[in-house]
Each structure stands twice: as structure tokens, then as C-alpha cells.
Amino acid sequence: MNLNEMTVVKTAEAVNNQEISARYLIERTLEQIKNNVKLNAFACTAGAEAFEQADAVDQKIKSGYSLPLAGIPLAVGDNIAYKELPTAYGSAAFRKFKPPFSAAAVEKLIGAGAVVVGKINTGDMGFSSHKALSPAGPVMNPWKENRISESPGSAALAARQCMLALESDSEGSLRQGASSCGMYGFRPTPGRVSRYGLNLSSGSYDQVGFAASTATDMGITFQATSGYDERDILTSVSREAGPKPDPNKAPGEITLAFSPECFDQLDSISAKHLKQFQAKCLDLGFKVVESSLKLLPEALKAFYIIAYAEASSSFARFDGIRFGTAAEADELEDLYYKTRKLTFGHEARRRSVFGTYILSKGNFEQYYQQALKVWTLVRQDFNNAMANCDFLVMPVVSGAAPSGIEENDFLQRIESDIFTAPVSMACLPSLALPAWQEDGLPAGIQLVGHPFSDEILLNVAEMINTETIFPDTDKSAWEEG
Amino acid sequence: MTNTRETLEKAIQVIKIEIDPEERNILHDDLIQFLEWLKPLKALDTSGVTPVRFSHVAVNAFRDDQALSCDLKEVRKAAPNFDEGFYTVPPIIE
């Protein structure tokens, strides 16, 4: 059995049939992580607790249970709580912090048989490592030296250091990283998966999402994690049934829309590939139409005003009193000042300061209030664009994987979110899937659905059925399988 | 833009965070760039547009108010300073 060719579905089946054990899978995965530490995908790896979980899975299977994610090695974002391992939020101050609870999505995945192999590095305070360097440094892209991945889970997945990753998505880092690593990255409709245990910097945009190597794997993962959770009010929408997927729907009954404005925002190479992808969709039998998205640049600006404002508010809780690390201080005021210096990196300080500036007297109306009005227009823009189609097909980024964090280019990095942040703002489900390769680097497109069309969206991705290709990294730990 | 520096310094004070002078200058320069970048948004005609009030489609979802059990040992482990069932802070009254 060559584990290199195994998907989540096939692997769980092999574990359920007792062809391989969960313990064996975890041993191989931890070895694979050790084989490529230069990738820097993991903040910490599990030890005895992973083997205990794996043994519990093996025991359950011997007792006659069948688990949808039996023994699947799972990587969890370092801004998502898991009580067995430190949850550091990409901050030096939280390196040893163990939350007293696990996130709802982590609980559900473990309940479905997955085994946590480690916490994956995030940028400063959970932001994308493309925008916010954490003390751990950037997560590298396994496809090419000197390129980074915006999604640590996708990098780990592409390097076979896990089979599934759970991480957050706000402005689009998960989808962008999945695209630049040739993987699938899914941001579900807000409310479909509980955010309980996710460290929120922006309550309006942050969502729990997943990285996987096939659309089918993503579907099983989504099924295992979605649903009502009384600890997250947003999931109350999950009580209402969304549109049911129709397994018999043929591509000819599905309309995909491409936006001319997206082509205008792309570099010439990416635009050429997107055109080719459009032709592929026609060949597959989908109906293809044009739909206009007029407000992408404005949406991006409004997105960042609101994201900064919300970050400045939500970071107030890091005061060194209730959790984490406290700085040495003789006075309470001093405790706040010194603890926050210890906790926040440059990007978190920037977001806090800019957000407070935006919300200050005299600026609130012209920036924040204006952004909220533009948000209404952005929703209308997406509603109009999707009125005559089932799904929008959009780029994820223009160009290939980024080369790293350069000084003084923060606006350039913000502008790379022009296709992903507006989708987050419109509260729509979105899946990045592999689409093409250029100069040895993969790139993806995103399928954007109507609210609550998550299952149908994953079905359509299966119909498109792009082959997932893995980089030629060291796979020795797997090949022994 | 004349008051940008002053408002930035006030914002730092409101947040209660130590930021050294060199980084304050970087933040100031970045803020000027950011505000310049936002100019087209300020110019967009939004008269008559209702601002978004709720980011998500969820409306109030009520449930019974129940006290959840809490393991004090776990809370103590997560807190920087904890004593006799309370979080402790530096003295605030002399």
C-alpha cells in the first residue's frame, strides 16, 4: 500500500477495514514532519496524546465501530483552541498557553476519528503569515524554495505532513495558500461550522475552514463538522435546512459565471489560464455566462476598514489578567502596556492602532460608517452577479505564490486580497481548487456559491475533478507504507 | 491630514500599548499611505444607502440561561496570576 496515493476517503476505509492501524499512520506522519522541518509548517507537534488518540480509534474499530475520518492525521491552526497542545496565536507570549477547552470543530473531527498531529504556525495573532510575520517566521511553500504559503495547513498537506488541516479564513489566506500549494481550501457559509474556540480578530469575517487534497475529502470533513452548536449563535442558521445537493444533477444543468472585471485585475499569464479554465468548463458541459462584479476595489477598501476596526476592539481582551502571559508590572496600567507589547507583533499593533484611529471622533463617519454603507452595496453587487448563475468562478490571486514579506509593502500585500476578501464580505461559501501550473508553481480558482449551497458547491468541484498533484518533496516516511 | 500624527498618538494611548518611537514613525508613514489608498472609497456616493448592521444572516437565537460547570484547576492553569479563586492584578489603590 503506497500511502502517497491515499486520500482521506481511502485511508479511513483502510483503517476501518483494519488493513492499517491509526497508530501506524500517526507514526509515519510524525516522521514525515521531522523529515522536512525547514517547511516550518508546525508550531508544535503532538507526542503521547496523538498515540493515545490513535489507539482509541484502533480500539473502537476493533469493537465494531466505523469512523468517517478513522486515523486521519489532522493539523490544527495555532489560533484554534486544542486543550492538549499549546495554542500560541503566533505570539511569543502564548507559546506555553494551553486553553482549558478545545474548539467545537476540533472536538467534532476527533469524534469522527481524526488524530491531531500538531498545531500549525500562523502569523502574528493568527493573521496570514504573508501579512504578519510571527516569531516563528514564515511557512515555506513546498513547491519552490524562497516561496511562502499563506496557508500553513495547505503547505503541510502538500508536503504530506498531514491529510487534513483545520484553519481560519478571513481575508482569504486559507484559499490563497491552498491555491499556491495546489490544494483545496474551503471557507463554508458563515454559520455552517461553529467558530467556538477560534481566536477572533474580526468577528464579521473570521471563519473556520479546511484544507484537503480532494473535493470528496472536503465533503466528508464538512459533513463531520457542520451543524448547530449552542456555543456559537451564528450556527443557529444551520437549524434551517439549506438547499439539498442533487447527486443526479448534470453539468448542463449548472450555470457558472465568469466576471470580466476579474480578468481586468489579473496579470496576463493568470488571465490566459483563467480563459483556458473557462473553456474547460464549457468542455465539461457546464453552462458558462458572464456576470459583472463592479465593486471589487471598493469592497477591498471597506473590508480593511472594518477588519482593522474590529481587530482594535477584539484585541482589548489581551490584557494579561485572565489568560496567557503577564508582563512584570507594579501598576495595573503598566501591566496593560507591557503585556500588549509582549503579546502583539508589528501587524497586530498596526491593526489595533489603525482600527482605533478609524473609530476615533472625526474619523468614524468618514471611514467606518462609509465602509458599512459600501458593505451594503457590495452585497447587492454579489446578489446581482449571482442572480443568473449557480456559481461564480473567480481567481484566487493574481500571479503565483508570494516570495515573502518585504519591508514597507503592506498595501501591496493587502491588494493581493482583491478576489478573496470581497467574497468573505458577501458571506458566501467559497472553495479554492487546483486549476493550473505555471513555471513549476500551482495556482487555483475559487468557486463561489449562494449562501448555504456548500454541499452543492463541493459536488460541482467533484464534477470539475481537477487532479491534485503533490510537489516532489521527500516522501520517504510514506513510501515505507 | 494635519492631525493624523496627533490622533495616531492618542490611539496608541487608548490601546494602552508600548510602541517605541521608531515604530511609531513607521506606523505614521503607513497610516498616511493607507488613508491615501482609501480616498476613492470616501468619494463613493453612498447617499441613501443603509449601512450594514448585522454582518451575518443569523438573528437572535435564544436558549435557556444555564450555568456551565467550570474546572477551576484548568482556569488557574490558563491564567497568569490566580489566587484563592480570583484573578489577581497589581494593586490599584495605594
Side-chain angles (χ1 to χ4, degrees):
Chain A
M1 185 179 295
N2 184 356
L3 290 173
N4 266 318
E5 290 161 12
M6 299 289 272
T7 62
V8 165
V9 177
K10 286 181 189 170
T11 307
E13 195 182 315
V15 175
N16 279 319
N17 292 338
Q18 299 183 46
E19 292 163 37
I20 49 170
S21 68
R23 174 172 268 269
Y24 175 77
L25 271 174
I26 299 312
E27 279 170 1
R28 297 270 74 83
T29 306
L30 292 173
E31 198 177 318
Q32 183 67 359
I33 295 170
K34 274 189 202 157
N35 284 348
N36 189 358
V37 288
K38 278 197 295 186
L39 193 67
N40 198 29
F42 283 84
C44 63
T45 49
E49 53 286 298
F51 290 112
E52 275 173 33
Q53 269 180 33
D55 290 343
V57 169
D58 288 331
Q59 200 53 49
K60 266 193 162 182
I61 286 158
K62 279 179 190 155
S63 312
Y65 286 91
S66 179
L67 299 166
L69 298 173
I72 298 303
L74 168 71
V76 177
D78 209 17
N79 56 344
I80 297 174
Y82 175 49
K83 65 181 179 181
E84 303 296 340
L85 290 175
T87 296
Y89 311 132
S91 165
F94 280 83
R95 201 175 295 150
K96 291 180 181 168
F97 171 65
K98 274 192 185 178
F101 59 90
S102 291
V106 173
E107 284 173 355
K108 285 191 171 184
L109 289 169
I110 291 174
V115 177
V116 179
V117 290
K119 299 299 295 290
I120 34 178
N121 268 321
T122 64
D124 176 25
M125 296 312 290
F127 301 127
S128 156
S129 62
H130 177 37
K131 298 192 184 65
L133 204 56
S134 78
V139 175
M140 305 314 292
N141 191 310
W143 281 92
K144 209 167 203 176
E145 271 187 29
N146 304 321
R147 298 289 181 141
I148 65 163
S149 168
E150 306 89 330
S151 152
S154 299
L157 198 65
R160 292 292 199 185
Q161 296 186 337
C162 63
M163 281 193 169
L164 205 58
L166 177 69
E167 57 185 85
S168 63
D169 184 280
S170 185
E171 61 260 34
S173 56
L174 166 61
R175 287 163 282 161
Q176 291 170 16
S179 166
S180 65
C181 291
M183 298 291 128
Y184 287 74
F186 185 38
R187 177 191 168 91
T189 304
R192 295 302 307 273
V193 177
S194 172
R195 300 192 296 180
Y196 175 74
L198 168 65
N199 175 41
L200 296 177
S201 76
S202 166
S204 293
Y205 304 139
D206 292 353
Q207 291 298 326
V208 165
F210 313 97
S213 61
T214 71
T216 314
D217 288 356
M218 193 67 86
I220 285 168
T221 310
F222 179 66
Q223 202 178 7
T225 48
S226 57
Y228 176 62
D229 175 14
E230 67 170 10
R231 297 164 297 184
D232 178 1
I233 187 177
L234 267 191
T235 59
S236 59
V237 296
S238 290
R239 288 164 161 171
E240 297 156 23
K244 295 282 174 214
D246 178 357
N248 300 317
K249 217 169 189 179
E253 297 169 89
I254 294 162
T255 306
L256 305 178
F258 288 73
S259 159
E261 290 84 357
C262 287
F263 284 98
D264 297 343
Q265 297 281 348
L266 285 174
D267 64 32
S268 59
I269 294 172
S270 304
K272 177 194 80 181
H273 284 297
L274 187 61
K275 269 274 171 226
Q276 286 168 355
F277 188 82
Q278 191 174 351
K280 177 187 170 177
C281 291
L282 275 168
D283 288 346
L284 287 169
F286 291 102
K287 286 181 198 159
V288 173
V289 297
E290 266 193 7
S291 254
S292 186
L293 279 170
K294 297 184 176 72
L295 289 176
L296 290 177
E298 291 79 6
L300 184 66
K301 289 174 170 56
F303 177 97
Y304 269 97
I305 289 174
I306 293 161
Y308 284 180
E310 292 188 355
S312 75
S313 166
S314 61
F315 286 170
R317 69 186 185 279
F318 291 94
D319 54 12
I321 295 174
R322 287 151 299 175
F323 60 97
T325 307
E328 286 289 323
D330 296 329
E331 292 177 353
L332 187 63
E333 285 272 299
D334 211 24
L335 176 70
Y336 296 145
Y337 276 91
K338 288 180 172 164
T339 298
R340 290 193 178 126
K341 185 182 186 184
L342 201 69
T343 305
F344 299 154
H346 180 65
E347 181 62 21
R349 290 197 284 272
R350 186 212 309 279
R351 291 191 185 214
S352 295
V353 172
F354 285 17
T356 308
Y357 180 94
I358 283 161
L359 294 173
S360 64
K361 190 180 171 190
N363 291 325
F364 179 83
E365 286 290 332
Q366 59 173 332
Y367 294 112
Y368 188 69
Q369 197 67 9
Q370 175 74 345
L372 293 180
K373 289 179 179 176
V374 172
W375 196 351
T376 300
L377 298 177
V378 170
R379 283 182 172 177
Q380 287 169 0
D381 195 30
F382 272 91
N383 283 343
N384 294 340
M386 299 196 71
N388 296 316
C389 71
D390 298 301
F391 297 96
L392 279 172
V393 181
M394 295 174 68
V396 183
V397 287
S398 180
S403 54
I405 296 187
E406 286 92 33
E407 291 292 321
N408 301 323
D409 67 344
F410 89 103
L411 274 181
Q412 198 184 328
R413 282 182 266 124
I414 283 177
E415 285 184 332
S416 68
D417 300 334
I418 191 154
F419 303 116
T420 48
V423 175
S424 305
M425 210 175 187
C427 291
L428 303 173
S430 166
L431 175 78
L433 60 142
W436 61 79
Q437 284 208 13
E438 177 72 32
D439 195 21
L441 281 167
I445 58 100
Q446 57 176 335
L447 268 182
V448 180
H450 290 271
F452 308 107
S453 67
D454 306 66
E455 287 88 351
I456 307 174
L457 187 152
L458 294 168
N459 272 6
V460 171
E462 277 190 62
M463 287 179 198
I464 293 173
N465 191 25
T466 319
E467 188 192 359
T468 307
I469 302 167
F470 287 85
D472 190 22
T473 49
D474 180 5
K475 300 171 195 161
S476 55
W478 288 108
E479 276 158 3
E480 283 168 21
Chain B
M1 217 61 89
T2 48
N3 290 326
T4 307
R5 183 76 199 211
E6 201 182 314
T7 312
L8 178 85
E9 294 297 337
K10 278 185 186 164
I12 293 170
Q13 219 178 335
V14 169
I15 300 164
K16 298 186 194 302
I17 186 169
E18 269 187 23
I19 298 179
D20 61 40
E22 196 188 335
E23 190 177 352
R24 283 171 194 243
N25 288 337
I26 293 170
L27 288 173
H28 177 252
D29 293 348
D30 285 354
L31 182 60
I32 298 285
Q33 269 193 69
F34 183 60
L35 298 178
E36 189 64 30
W37 182 70
L38 292 178
K39 269 186 178 169
L41 191 78
K42 279 169 68 182
L44 194 72
D45 182 11
T46 55
S47 46
V49 177
T50 308
V52 165
R53 291 288 177 218
F54 300 102
S55 55
H56 300 103
V57 288
V59 289
N60 279 339
F62 297 106
R63 61 170 167 78
D64 292 336
D65 191 16
Q66 302 166 319
L68 299 173
S69 64
C70 172
D71 184 350
L72 267 189
K73 270 188 199 165
E74 294 295 320
V75 173
R76 181 183 294 128
K77 271 197 279 180
N81 296 297
F82 199 82
D83 192 25
E84 294 181 9
F86 295 97
Y87 296 110
T88 60
V89 295
I92 51 172
I93 302 168
E94 286 188 15

